[in-house]
Amino acid sequence: MNRKIKMVITVLIVAILVAAVAFKLLNNKKELNAKVYHPDVNTAAVVQVDTVHTGNFELSSKFTGAFSPNREVIVGTETSGKVIRVNVNEGDFVQTGQLIAQLDDGVLRAQLQSAQATYDRATNTLSRYQQAASGITQLQIDNANTDVLTSKAQIDQLKKQISQHTISAPFSGIITSRNFDLGAIVSPGTQMATLTDIGSVKLEIKVPERSVSQFRLGQNIGITTDVHPGTTFTGKVDMIAAKADASYNFLIKILVPNRKSELKSGMYGTVVLRNLVSNDALTIPRSALTGSSVQPQVYMVENGKAKLLDIQTGNGNETRIEVTGGLKAGDIVISGGLVNLKEGTNVSVTE
């Protein structure tokens, strides 16, 4: 008997707890519903309107890419040696042919002097043989001529080796990295410095198939950047890829003069192309569009009330959308204050 009483008491306690939780949840729901805004169709919503009209319609295409240097190379060595002179620092601007580093070439220069002496002796010997009236065989003359050619080849080889000990800039640019110091021992292929030419930069953009025909080689194009708002840089189309990438986009490179070095490698630039689509296109503001891309809709003002209407749309630019069906010129659409609207809401038009 005691066991049954305990079970009944337990069941009653559980039931009371469940009822208490349900009551609390119901009260919370009522409080939340009371806080949620429910628009009243009888209260006029303040809206802004726009009249549907026909006129010129420009379709704009925007492409964003990154700037890269016009030229950039890693300056290396063709030979081994000890650095005895450092002539640049990171950030320095260098001219074509300017010295970057000098390697020790003392031994080679000594060998060059010896080779020059050998060459002079060989040429003198050949000259005496050729001027001798008698007593000189053709074999002696041939051997002397061979000595001249051999010593001359040795001189040319040593001069070439000496020139490899002088590391110079192949073109004008900025030293963006330096990987050596005075006294360093380098070997063939050592990457000593990076030379970057940003006297002009290249903007690289990816363009889909439908838009690539808008570009042509040598075409002048305006470019804007977030870093320099209000400034338009003029570039020239330098390359149009002959083959699309895996995403069916074509790489286009635009060469942009950069005499004041305002543009840096890695910055982003934007190209906007505008084309006149139609002289009498029917358009509405983008802000008037509601619904979804699959089922675009607008609110019209009809007898002081909001009327939801399905429409068909075409091309669009930054501010307006082309309407291909569902509206006609002169219709009034709501372009602002859409948040509180639904079918049949009273509206009050404001400027």
Side-chain angles (χ1 to χ4, degrees), residues 119-130:
Y119 173 77
D120 293 342
R121 184 172 61 252
T123 53
N124 290 334
T125 300
L126 177 61
S127 179
R128 289 197 306 271
Y129 284 174
Q130 290 174 337

Side-chain angles (χ1 to χ4, degrees), residues 146-165:
T146 299
D147 291 341
V148 170
L149 294 176
T150 301
S151 57
K152 179 64 170 62
Q154 186 177 11
I155 289 174
D156 291 341
Q157 182 181 6
L158 287 169
K159 286 182 176 179
K160 175 64 175 177
Q161 291 176 342
I162 290 172
S163 69
Q164 292 175 344
H165 284 63

Side-chain angles (χ1 to χ4, degrees), residues 180-194:
F180 68 97
D181 285 303
L182 187 66
I185 304 298
V186 298
S187 57
T190 299
Q191 298 181 358
M192 301 191 68
T194 301

Side-chain angles (χ1 to χ4, degrees), residues 248-264:
Y248 302 99
N249 291 323
F250 291 83
L251 176 64
I252 293 180
K253 295 183 179 181
I254 302 170
L255 189 62
V256 185
N258 190 32
R259 296 180 183 88
K260 296 182 180 179
S261 299
E262 296 175 292
L263 302 173
K264 307 296 184 184

Side-chain angles (χ1 to χ4, degrees), residues 98-173:
Q98 183 174 331
L99 179 68
I100 293 177
Q102 178 66 53
L103 305 184
D104 186 3
D105 58 2
V107 173
L108 291 175
R109 290 190 178 277
Q111 293 175 355
L112 177 62
Q113 290 179 350
S114 176
Q116 185 66 52
T118 301
Y119 173 77
D120 293 342
R121 184 172 61 252
T123 53
N124 290 334
T125 300
L126 177 61
S127 179
R128 289 197 306 271
Y129 284 174
Q130 290 174 337
Q131 294 174 6
S134 60
I136 302 299
T137 65
Q138 184 62 41
L139 178 60
Q140 289 176 304
I141 294 176
D142 290 344
N143 288 339
N145 189 51
T146 299
D147 291 341
V148 170
L149 294 176
T150 301
S151 57
K152 179 64 170 62
Q154 186 177 11
I155 289 174
D156 291 341
Q157 182 181 6
L158 287 169
K159 286 182 176 179
K160 175 64 175 177
Q161 291 176 342
I162 290 172
S163 69
Q164 292 175 344
H165 284 63
T166 301
I167 315 300
S168 303
F171 54 80
S172 298

Side-chain angles (χ1 to χ4, degrees), residues 5-273:
I5 292 173
K6 288 181 180 180
M7 290 180 62
V8 170
I9 293 172
T10 302
V11 171
L12 288 174
I13 292 173
V14 171
I16 292 171
L17 291 174
V18 171
V21 171
F23 179 75
K24 181 62 176 176
L25 292 175
L26 184 60
N27 281 340
N28 289 344
K29 183 177 180 181
K30 289 180 179 179
E31 290 178 4
L32 289 175
N33 287 334
K35 293 178 181 179
V36 174
Y37 174 75
H38 298 282
D40 184 357
V41 296
N42 296 317
T43 301
V46 178
V47 297
Q48 296 83 45
V49 298
D50 192 277
T51 301
V52 180
H53 64 271
T54 58
N56 293 340
F57 179 64
E58 285 187 341
L59 179 63
S60 62
S61 302
K62 182 182 292 187
F63 308 100
T64 298
F67 290 103
S68 61
N70 181 34
R71 292 181 293 180
E72 185 174 61
V73 296
I74 296 176
V75 180
T77 60
E78 299 178 82
T79 187
S80 58
K82 180 181 179 180
V83 178
I84 59 173
R85 183 180 176 188
V86 178
N87 201 48
V88 296
N89 292 305
E90 288 187 357
D92 285 354
F93 178 82
V94 296
Q95 298 283 356
T96 303
Q98 183 174 331
L99 179 68
I100 293 177
Q102 178 66 53
L103 305 184
D104 186 3
D105 58 2
V107 173
L108 291 175
R109 290 190 178 277
Q111 293 175 355
L112 177 62
Q113 290 179 350
S114 176
Q116 185 66 52
T118 301
Y119 173 77
D120 293 342
R121 184 172 61 252
T123 53
N124 290 334
T125 300
L126 177 61
S127 179
R128 289 197 306 271
Y129 284 174
Q130 290 174 337
Q131 294 174 6
S134 60
I136 302 299
T137 65
Q138 184 62 41
L139 178 60
Q140 289 176 304
I141 294 176
D142 290 344
N143 288 339
N145 189 51
T146 299
D147 291 341
V148 170
L149 294 176
T150 301
S151 57
K152 179 64 170 62
Q154 186 177 11
I155 289 174
D156 291 341
Q157 182 181 6
L158 287 169
K159 286 182 176 179
K160 175 64 175 177
Q161 291 176 342
I162 290 172
S163 69
Q164 292 175 344
H165 284 63
T166 301
I167 315 300
S168 303
F171 54 80
S172 298
I174 297 173
I175 301 295
T176 50
S177 70
R178 196 192 79 184
N179 307 317
F180 68 97
D181 285 303
L182 187 66
I185 304 298
V186 298
S187 57
T190 299
Q191 298 181 358
M192 301 191 68
T194 301
L195 179 62
T196 304
D197 174 17
I198 59 169
S200 56
V201 291
K202 287 184 179 180
L203 178 66
E204 300 182 359
I205 59 176
K206 297 287 187 71
V207 176
E209 179 183 0
R210 67 178 180 273
S211 301
V212 73
S213 61
Q214 299 180 55
F215 295 86
R216 64 183 184 278
L217 290 176
Q219 176 184 0
N220 289 326
I221 289 182
I223 298 168
T224 59
T225 65
D226 292 338
V227 179
H228 302 287
T231 301
T232 299
F233 299 89
T234 300
K236 184 175 291 187
V237 176
D238 186 61
M239 190 276 285
I240 301 175
K243 181 180 179 181
D245 60 16
S247 301
Y248 302 99
N249 291 323
F250 291 83
L251 176 64
I252 293 180
K253 295 183 179 181
I254 302 170
L255 189 62
V256 185
N258 190 32
R259 296 180 183 88
K260 296 182 180 179
S261 299
E262 296 175 292
L263 302 173
K264 307 296 184 184
S265 177
M267 284 183 177
Y268 287 100
T270 300
V271 172
V272 178
L273 296 183

